[in-house]
Amino acid sequence: MQETVIDAHNLSKIYDEQTIPVYALNGVHLHITRGEFTAIKGPSGSGKTTLLNMIGGLDTPSDGYVEINGTKITALKGNDLIDFRLNNIGFVFQSYNLIPVLTAKENIEFILLLQKRPRKEREQRVLELLREIGLEDKINKRPRELSGGQQQRVAVARALAPKPQFILADEPTANLDSVSADNLLDMMAKLNKEENMTFVFSTHDQRVIDRARRVITLEDGKIVADTSPTKIEHDQTE
Ligand code: ADP
Ligand code: MG
């Protein structure tokens, strides 16, 4: 049986722009199981960021709820929400969002420090991650000394450090050239395959969409398509 990681039920978000309400999300149901490698696509303004922010507990829905491994994240508040996010969800953003004054090692270690993990465990985990992202030689470099692609790899390692349930990545390749974007996707696909890490990423880059095993299409805040290309092929041969 497939283990449910994310269960979003009837999610809606209305931004009140003066008097005209805008539905950024409109009755979205979404079910993600462990080990998925899923892309959320859709034109600018279709609700991708809003959906990821709701799933990650960075914003609250106007209606509906989100359960992460059976915990209703939309009902958590204050420190409970912060702790739950730190322990369960890895975030990767379009603009990397590394801390400029910290080295690659310190950026990756940051969440483990917040979690008060022992030094030895922190060091081991950071080294293991630097190896996995192929940047062992950049351990003491600060973000400005790294390329965009390298910074985004560090951001993925930082997100992975506390061994989250899944990684949410909002247009992670938007600021990367096509070679760096491809390398980042290779790395994410490898972590998905070897560690069964669940990835949910938004994108409007067709080359990135082609790498996903499941593609969810948003339009005007609604899911208008949900396809798993490998599954369709499989079904047709039966
Ligand atoms: P995407 O990530 O697909 O580009 P968004 O989730 O950012 O889409 O936006 C969905 C809709 O919600 C858009 O119409 C956008 O203008 C609106 N929106 C997003 N954030 C806000 C906000 N903070 N206040 C008002 N409207 C917003
Ligand atoms: Mg967006």
Side-chain angles (χ1 to χ4, degrees):
M1 234 207 29
Q2 297 280 33
E3 187 189 347
T4 298
V5 186
I6 301 167
D7 195 18
H9 184 84
N10 198 30
L11 270 190
S12 292
K13 178 71 176 179
I14 302 169
Y15 292 111
D16 222 347
E17 287 202 342
Q18 280 121 37
T19 49
I20 313 155
V22 179
Y23 264 98
L25 278 184
N26 196 344
V28 165
H29 292 270
L30 181 63
H31 189 249
I32 303 267
T33 55
R34 184 160 321 281
E36 281 195 32
F37 198 68
T38 293
I40 297 175
K41 74 164 187 175
S44 182
S46 57
K48 301 183 295 297
T49 296
T50 304
L51 176 56
L52 292 184
N53 286 350
M54 301 292 136
I55 294 172
L58 294 175
D59 200 355
T60 49
S62 308
D63 201 3
Y65 64 84
V66 177
E67 279 187 3
I68 306 295
N69 268 40
T71 297
K72 212 175 251 187
I73 188 170
T74 38
L76 296 177
K77 288 192 176 66
N79 284 337
D80 290 341
L81 177 59
I82 291 169
D83 284 345
F84 187 85
R85 273 200 311 249
L86 272 183
N87 293 322
N88 294 281
I89 308 173
F91 294 95
V92 175
F93 302 94
Q94 174 176 331
S95 47
Y96 326 134
N97 291 14
L98 297 175
I99 299 171
V101 295
L102 300 184
T103 64
K105 171 186 179 283
E106 290 163 344
N107 266 286
I108 297 170
E109 192 181 16
F110 192 71
I111 296 170
L112 303 178
L113 271 168
L114 290 179
Q115 292 178 326
K116 301 186 169 61
R117 303 281 186 96
R119 173 189 286 271
K120 200 157 184 200
E121 184 194 323
R122 295 197 313 261
E123 308 248 302
Q124 260 171 15
R125 183 74 180 134
V126 171
L127 286 178
E128 177 182 281
L129 286 161
L130 278 165
R131 258 198 304 278
E132 282 189 62
I133 63 168
L135 290 179
E136 289 156 287
D137 56 330
K138 306 287 187 217
I139 183 165
N140 291 319
K141 298 285 183 206
R142 293 201 162 70
R144 67 164 182 280
E145 301 172 283
L146 301 172
S147 71
Q150 290 168 340
Q151 286 184 60
Q152 196 61 306
R153 283 162 173 264
V154 172
V156 172
R158 173 182 59 181
L160 284 166
K163 303 190 174 165
Q165 300 290 336
F166 58 89
I167 301 275
L168 291 178
D170 194 5
E171 306 215 25
T173 63
N175 290 327
L176 301 180
D177 61 74
S178 59
V179 173
S180 304
D182 226 37
N183 287 341
L184 187 79
L185 262 291
D186 285 345
M187 190 191 100
M188 284 164 51
K190 180 171 153 256
L191 290 159
N192 172 255
K193 190 161 171 254
E194 291 176 3
E195 322 230 334
N196 204 31
M197 177 53 66
T198 309
F199 282 88
V200 180
F201 50 94
S202 73
T203 187
H204 53 245
D205 181 342
Q206 189 57 45
R207 285 166 312 193
V208 176
I209 293 163
D210 290 342
R211 304 284 302 266
R213 284 208 306 275
R214 176 181 177 193
V215 180
I216 292 164
T217 309
L218 275 182
E219 260 172 41
D220 297 327
K222 289 186 177 146
I223 294 179
V224 295
D226 185 346
T227 59
S228 304
T230 42
K231 186 163 177 286
I232 291 164
E233 252 167 53
H234 176 72
D235 287 348
Q236 280 168 348
T237 57
E238 278 181 349

